[in-house]
Amino acid sequence: MMAATWATIWISAAGIAIGFALGVPLAVAAQRWWARLYISFFRGVPLLVQLLLAYYALPFLGIDLPGIVAAVGTLGLCCAAYMAEILRGGFALVPRGGLEAARLLGLTPTQTLLRIRLPIAAQAMRPALVNEAILIIKASSLISVVGILELTRSAQALASSTFEPLPAYALCGAIYLIINLSLSFAARARPA
Amino acid sequence: MSALSVRGLHRSVGATQILRGIDLDVTAGEAIGIIGPSGSGKSSLLRCIAGLDPIAAGSVAVEGRATRPGDGAVGMVFQQFNLWPHLTARQNVALALRLVRKLPVREADARAEAALAQVGLAALAARKPAALSGGQQQRVAIARTLAMEPRVLLFDEPTAALDPELTTEVLDVIRALAAGGTTMLVVSHEMGFVAGLATRVVFLDHGQVVQSGPPAEIFSQRAEPRIQAFLQTYLSRVAWVQA
Ligand SMILES: Nc1ncnc2c1ncn2[C@@H]1O[C@H](COP(=O)(O)OP(=O)(O)O)[C@@H](O)[C@H]1O
Ligand SMILES: [Mg+2]
């Protein structure tokens, strides 16, 4: 169960990191048709179906992904759609004047994005971003369908091998709770 | 060659003409005061010179060269300061030095501190904007612009967002810069300040220059009637208490 806990943590962390990294350009391009299409797809289709598509359907198109790649990739792509929506709201809060100052001082659009727009937006939307990260950690229980032994799957295995579901699932729930509480605590403790 | 040369500048939004043929030549070291009623186009003129607003016709040149935003020719200080709230005063000033001038961190920080010292804020370099008064924030904004050493400095109502008791510290900084020979255009409703600072005052109305001349001419009976009427509204606001 220890190993499965680490699997949940690092797979979620990777998914969240990918989600954030892809969410930024998606948020910048949020008005474009392809960004809208992307966001509607990943927000509109259940994560479970996305996982099944990535792992069981893509091979029919000649794309054969290892389970771990399908799991991290799908979590990340799905997370990106939500991160993009959150960051788009954050970008709208960045005062125009600060961007004009940056432009006059000679910062490039990319520098302005990374040094000014993104920090201000992420700061303003921190509770929503943390919330999304927590949702991803919980949703990572679904990746057992692509054959990854993560926390929930290992609790199921423990419950059926010991015939004692109560301690197995209680422990599993407690571990999720500790992970998520630590995350929100860490996010709150960081100075503004 | 003039430091700044504005020729036949027009700006319109849709069918509305905001600037209707502005001509202005500024010699290096001059401080131009720009006054005029609200909506007369003062901010638009500065924004067009800075390249923030597109121009419909005419040209803007600094030292003979056409400018574009970010080329370092023109610096601008805004009414709302426009500091970056997530960075300290030092970081606000140092950011462009690092990213645009490509200075190493230590040199950028040293220059930022020098610029902050110049506006009297050396001691507050580590504070974020939210922990500074409005006057202090505006002085950081001035330091941020100064540090990039623009050829021409534009001030758009730099004290209009400040409580009256905080305007002096900002006006003092601008006066010191003018005395040091910085070429500048200052939009302000602080008429006494403009009269004392400007080598030349330009009165704008409906997107046109009504009159331009030395302060002694604009702030006098010899000025155009429209200017006198405009200044009258300021005079009537001054409280005179006689013993
Ligand atoms: N982006 C814009 N769109 C439409 N009208 C504008 C825009 N910017 C300025 N104006 C109009 O142009 C006129 C001049 O504005 P401005 O330059 O801000 O004047 P001032 O700074 O002298 O008060 C005003 O009537 C204003 O409403
Ligand atoms: Mg204005």
Side-chain angles (χ1 to χ4, degrees), chain B residues 11 13 16 18 36-45 53 156-157:
Chain B
R11 156 132 172 96
V13 176
T16 317
I18 294 173
S38 176
S40 58
K42 305 179 299 294
S43 295
S44 297
L45 174 58
D53 281 349
D156 190 7
E157 302 201 37

Side-chain angles (χ1 to χ4, degrees), chain A residues 33-49:
Chain A
W33 66 267
W34 52 267
R36 284 169 183 273
L37 187 70
Y38 179 99
I39 292 170
S40 330
F41 175 80
F42 282 97
R43 291 207 313 164
V45 175
L47 180 61
L48 182 57
V49 177

Side-chain angles (χ1 to χ4, degrees), chain B residues 148-232:
Chain B
M148 294 298 282
E149 302 171 323
R151 314 302 300 160
V152 177
L153 201 45
L154 311 176
F155 292 90
D156 190 7
E157 302 201 37
T159 60
L162 300 177
D163 290 334
E165 74 270 23
L166 299 179
T167 61
T168 316
E169 63 189 57
V170 172
L171 298 182
D172 285 347
V173 166
I174 299 173
R175 269 192 213 100
L177 289 171
T182 302
T183 311
M184 60 173 75
L185 275 66
V186 184
V187 171
S188 179
H189 290 293
E190 303 278 342
M191 294 304 161
F193 164 71
V194 172
L197 174 95
T199 50
R200 197 148 42 104
V201 179
V202 174
F203 183 88
L204 227 58
D205 198 11
H206 297 297
Q208 286 178 312
V209 175
V210 174
Q211 192 177 352
S212 136
E217 190 179 308
I218 301 294
F219 297 107
S220 81
Q221 311 289 325
R222 286 176 293 143
E224 285 253 347
R226 252 194 287 179
I227 304 178
Q228 294 191 38
F230 169 75
L231 292 174
Q232 202 60 45

Side-chain angles (χ1 to χ4, degrees), chain B residues 32-51:
Chain B
I32 306 292
I34 299 174
I35 60 172
S38 176
S40 58
K42 305 179 299 294
S43 295
S44 297
L45 174 58
L46 294 193
R47 292 175 58 84
C48 285
I49 291 172

Side-chain angles (χ1 to χ4, degrees), chain B residues 97-110:
Chain B
L97 292 171
R98 286 181 49 200
L99 299 182
V100 181
R101 284 288 155 76
K102 313 283 185 207
L103 295 183
V105 179
R106 291 183 62 185
E107 196 181 338
D109 280 351

Side-chain angles (χ1 to χ4, degrees), chain A residues 46-49 51 138-146 150 152 176:
Chain A
L47 180 61
L48 182 57
V49 177
L51 285 162
K138 293 192 291 184
S140 74
S141 62
L142 295 172
I143 63 177
S144 56
V145 298
V146 298
E150 46 64 64
T152 305
Y176 277 114

